Amino acid sequence: MEFDLEALPQAARYKVMSSAITPRPIAWVTSCSAAGIRNAAPYSFFNMMGDSPPTVALGLLRREGDGHKDTATNILETGEFVINLVPEALAEAMNQTCADVPPEVDELAWAGIATLPSRSVAPPRIAGCPASFECVTLHALETGPGQLVVIGQVRVAHIDDAFVLDADRLHFDTPAMALIGRMHGRGWYARGTDLFQMDRPL
């Protein structure tokens, strides 16, 4: 079937795209407001975009009523954020931070999530995540009312020592990280356990 996304309502457009563009890695984003209030929220409109400079992209959808969500507001105010990748062991904790918590509440404390200090940015890292990336904003583009695409430059990457096979050669045990991704409909996730490998042609 063919779907004219220009003719469909917003909810239908979301369903068509998010049901087909899978699996999507989850950026569990930690940020701070200008007043220093901490926030955590998961976003699956996310991926790596380049390595020179090292860049990532985040798609931040609008809050009900067309305003920015707390993550977008914090990034616009401070230009800093941390992307934490989510292991299955922290899936429930990550899901807690989907809640619509008032912006004046420290969401990490509210959800009982342990943190670690970052080296180059104010927002903390989430303890227990196999990989975290400290980022600063390169570009923030409004693509619709309250809808934001953020291109971030990664300043510092943290990989848990437990998953470093060879630090000199930068070999990591990615399958052992047990990262999860988002799938189709509401509440569906994927494990990265059914893998296959192909050699690239010369």
Side-chain angles (χ1 to χ4, degrees):
M1 291 183 67
E2 182 176 282
F3 298 91
D4 183 350
L5 296 192
E6 293 186 339
L8 289 176
Q10 181 270 331
R13 296 192 298 266
Y14 180 92
K15 281 187 175 182
V16 171
M17 294 183 70
S18 66
S19 294
I21 303 173
T22 63
R24 300 187 304 277
I26 301 168
W28 197 3
V29 181
T30 46
S31 61
C32 294
S33 70
I37 299 169
R38 304 181 307 167
N39 180 266
Y43 291 89
S44 66
F45 295 172
F46 152 70
N47 221 311
M48 173 184 174
M49 293 292 116
D51 61 5
S52 185
T55 51
V56 292
L58 279 175
L60 306 175
L61 300 188
R62 64 190 180 206
R63 182 189 298 281
E64 206 59 46
D66 289 348
H68 286 306
K69 292 185 177 180
D70 296 340
T71 299
T73 298
N74 292 348
I75 290 173
L76 288 172
E77 285 181 351
T78 69
E80 297 184 343
F81 58 99
V82 177
I83 289 174
N84 305 275
L85 299 184
V86 185
E88 187 175 359
L90 292 181
E92 288 293 337
M94 178 272 298
N95 195 44
Q96 284 293 322
T97 62
C98 292
D100 192 10
V101 177
E104 65 271 14
V105 174
D106 181 325
E107 194 161 359
L108 289 160
W110 173 82
I113 295 170
T115 62
L116 297 167
S118 294
R119 196 183 87 186
S120 68
V121 296
R125 298 178 285 134
I126 294 176
C129 287
S132 297
F133 300 92
E134 300 180 22
C135 303
V136 293
T137 303
L138 284 177
H139 303 285
L141 175 66
E142 294 269 2
T143 58
Q147 181 173 289
L148 192 70
V149 173
V150 174
I151 307 298
Q153 179 173 338
V154 180
R155 281 187 171 171
V156 180
H158 302 266
I159 307 294
D160 190 309
D161 289 352
F163 306 107
V164 179
L165 298 175
D166 187 327
D168 293 332
R169 299 172 68 191
L170 300 176
H171 287 183
F172 308 119
D173 192 350
T174 303
M177 293 182 185
L179 299 174
I180 58 171
R182 284 286 280 128
M183 290 296 292
H184 56 292
R186 188 176 182 90
W188 283 96
Y189 292 83
R191 301 178 179 96
T193 50
D194 187 9
L195 308 178
F196 66 95
Q197 186 177 23
M198 293 190 294
D199 292 330
R200 293 182 61 167
L202 299 177

